[in-house]
Each structure stands twice: as structure tokens, then as C-alpha cells.
Amino acid sequence: MFTRAISKKPCRALIDGITTAQFVEPGEKPDYDLAVKQHDKYVEVLESLGLEVLDLDADERYPDSCFTEDPAVVMERCAVITNPATDSRNGEKEEILPAIRKFYADDQIFHIEAPGTMEGGDVMRVGDHFYVGLSDRTNEEGARQFNEIVTKFGYTSSTVPVTEGLHLKDFAIYLENNNMLVTEIVDKMDAFKDFNRIVIDPDELYAINSMYINGTVLVPEGYPKTLQIIKDLGYPTILVDTSEFRKIDGSLTCLSLRF
Ligand code: CIR
């Protein structure tokens, strides 16, 4: 059961966020005012599901800083400050720390240190196990340090390759109740063979990053096939418009830390 979330307001510099232009035409930039509205709506939805949301002020120094999922990984018994791999995002780890300190004691807070890199978008939790995606953003050493930290607190972790793009949770997402939305490539991975895997249409790749919160699944607006699949699995759903974040590869889970 999630009771809290940490989000951060988009800054004007958001328009210069890193993008692979995977989901949009090259050069298409987010509209800042619309991004702010979408962010506020996202926070409202989390609140409507019973979460107390700490919504941090915008920080113009870091274009991608509204994606609070990446600079930390939080769980009941500890928090791990990651080491974001890109220069323009690395400083976000300092900025998230005061927020993490509000909820965790000093001896519950740990850091991924260079040469380890990690971003929270690569960490997918299933019960007390964490699947860590090895990607351009998260390396073996980052995953090794993460494993060392979380095992001290009774969790486990293992690695899986990310072969299709940015973060693991863009290609596989766990919706609880053994259900996992996946791409065709992830579907074939041994690591996930025991889950009830549902392969999402490549046309709707972006909607894999739907988000389970306390029994309900938030689904990005504009992906009818995935929405129907999630409904057919029996979940109540809430549509959330993330069109402006999508332009810079941001999706639902990226926009908060939940715990
Ligand atoms: C980036 O490239 O880092 C951002 N533009 C998008 C981050 C998305 N975060 C996530 O999937 N957890």
C-alpha cells in the first residue's frame, strides 16, 4: 500500500530535456504551460488514491528534474540515492536528498557511487525483489552496489538487460497480481517467465509504462488497446494525459517516487 509520493514541478527548462524522440517527431518540444497542468492533474490523481504528495519546487538548473523516479529508489526500510548517468541529470541526486531525509533516518539512506551509475526508471519492484535493468543509464557496478545495499534490509535484486531503449520500466511494468505488461522482446526473457505476461502492441509501446497504485492502474491517455487490456485484467483505471512529458521520454512512473 502506497501512502506517500514525492514529485517535482516541471521547470521552464523542461523544453530542453533529454529526448530520443522515440515517441514524437524530432524537434517537437514540450509546451511548458500544458506540462504544468498535466503535472498538477497527476498529483491530484495520486492524492485521490490516498497518497500524501510532497510536490517539490521546480529547479531550472535541471531540465529533467520533474522525473523524480530517477535520482532515488525508495522502499519501506531504506532509500538509495542513485547516480544518474548523464551530466545534465547527475546533480539531481543532491537535490532529491533533502526530500528523502524528511522520511528516512541517516542510517537508512545510501548512495550509488561512481563508477556505478543507476536511474530509478531501471528498477522494477516485484514484492521484495527488485529487477534492475542494465541500460545506458544503469551499469553493472551500480546494480552491484544496489544489491549490496538492499540485501542488508531483507530485499533481493537481480539484473536484466535493457535492449530496446531508455529504462527497463518502458519495456516491462509490473501491475501486481502476477500481471506484467511487456514488449515482445521482454516476453521471451527467462527472468519473467513465471509472470502472466501481456505483450503490448508495438504501436502502443509508450503505454507499457502504466502505473499501479493501491488497486487502481493509471494509464496514459491515447492508448485504447492497452487500456482495454488493463480493464480486462480487472483493474479500475484512470486516464492521465502525459503528452508533454512523452516528448522527452517521460511517462507515468517517472513523475514520482512512491512509497
Ligand atoms: C531522460 O532522458 O532522462 C528524461 N528525458 C526522461 C526520463 C524518464 N524517466 C523514467 O523513465 N524513469
Side-chain angles (χ1 to χ4, degrees):
M1 184 85 181
F2 295 115
T3 57
R4 294 184 186 283
I6 301 174
S7 58
K8 192 171 175 94
K9 296 181 199 303
C11 58
R12 287 183 182 277
L14 173 83
I15 59 167
D16 297 319
I18 308 167
T19 182
T20 58
Q22 195 183 357
F23 301 114
V24 291
E25 293 301 316
E28 223 183 300
K29 300 233 177 214
D31 173 322
Y32 166 74
D33 293 317
L34 185 51
V36 170
K37 286 200 186 95
Q38 292 179 347
H39 168 88
D40 290 350
K41 181 74 195 166
Y42 175 87
V43 169
E44 248 175 57
V45 169
L46 294 187
E47 288 173 343
S48 76
L49 294 170
L51 275 63
E52 196 176 312
V53 182
L54 172 60
D55 191 24
L56 304 169
D57 289 340
D59 186 340
E60 292 298 337
R61 293 169 301 166
Y62 300 108
D64 287 297
S65 54
C66 60
F67 303 123
T68 53
E69 176 174 69
D70 293 319
V73 181
V74 291
M75 56 206 87
E76 298 85 351
R77 305 189 274 276
C78 65
V80 179
I81 307 293
T82 66
N83 190 25
T86 61
D87 288 347
S88 71
R89 299 205 64 186
N90 190 259
E92 290 176 34
K93 66 187 182 195
E94 323 288 351
E95 300 314 313
I96 200 74
L97 187 55
I100 297 296
R101 285 211 167 112
K102 286 186 201 288
F103 307 107
Y104 294 88
D106 285 351
D107 63 1
Q108 292 177 295
I109 303 176
F110 299 83
H111 299 261
I112 302 297
E113 311 278 1
T117 63
M118 172 172 267
E119 295 183 358
D122 279 319
V123 181
M124 179 170 66
R125 183 167 180 178
V126 175
D128 278 350
H129 186 77
F130 294 90
Y131 290 96
V132 177
L134 297 177
S135 69
D136 289 347
R137 303 293 181 88
T138 299
N139 64 15
E140 290 267 10
E141 173 57 15
R144 190 197 64 73
Q145 292 179 25
F146 181 81
N147 184 64
E148 197 170 278
I149 296 162
V150 300
T151 49
K152 285 191 197 127
F153 290 88
Y155 304 98
T156 53
S157 82
S158 57
T159 59
V160 290
V162 177
T163 56
E164 296 170 88
L166 194 57
H167 290 124
L168 174 63
K169 279 185 291 192
D170 300 326
F171 308 104
I173 204 89
Y174 186 57
L175 297 181
E176 303 296 328
N177 313 110
N178 208 43
N179 295 320
M180 189 177 283
L181 306 186
V182 294
T183 59
E184 278 168 25
I185 292 179
V186 173
D187 184 44
K188 295 188 177 67
M189 285 186 187
D190 231 32
F192 301 128
K193 68 177 179 355
D194 292 335
F195 293 102
N196 176 35
R197 301 175 316 283
I198 301 101
V199 177
I200 294 305
D201 191 313
D203 287 356
E204 297 205 354
L205 173 66
Y206 178 78
I208 285 188
N209 194 280
S210 292
M211 181 164 86
Y212 175 95
I213 299 281
N214 300 343
T216 295
V217 177
L218 279 58
V219 185
E221 210 164 301
Y223 301 91
K225 290 182 258 186
T226 309
L227 178 66
Q228 194 56 50
I229 285 169
I230 296 172
K231 285 187 169 170
D232 290 347
L233 287 168
Y235 298 100
T237 55
I238 301 179
L239 281 179
V240 183
D241 191 359
T242 52
S243 65
E244 301 316 294
F245 302 106
R246 183 176 60 218
K247 293 175 183 170
I248 53 169
D249 300 329
S251 36
L252 285 165
T253 69
C254 319
L255 287 164
S256 63
L257 285 165
R258 303 151 302 278
F259 53 113

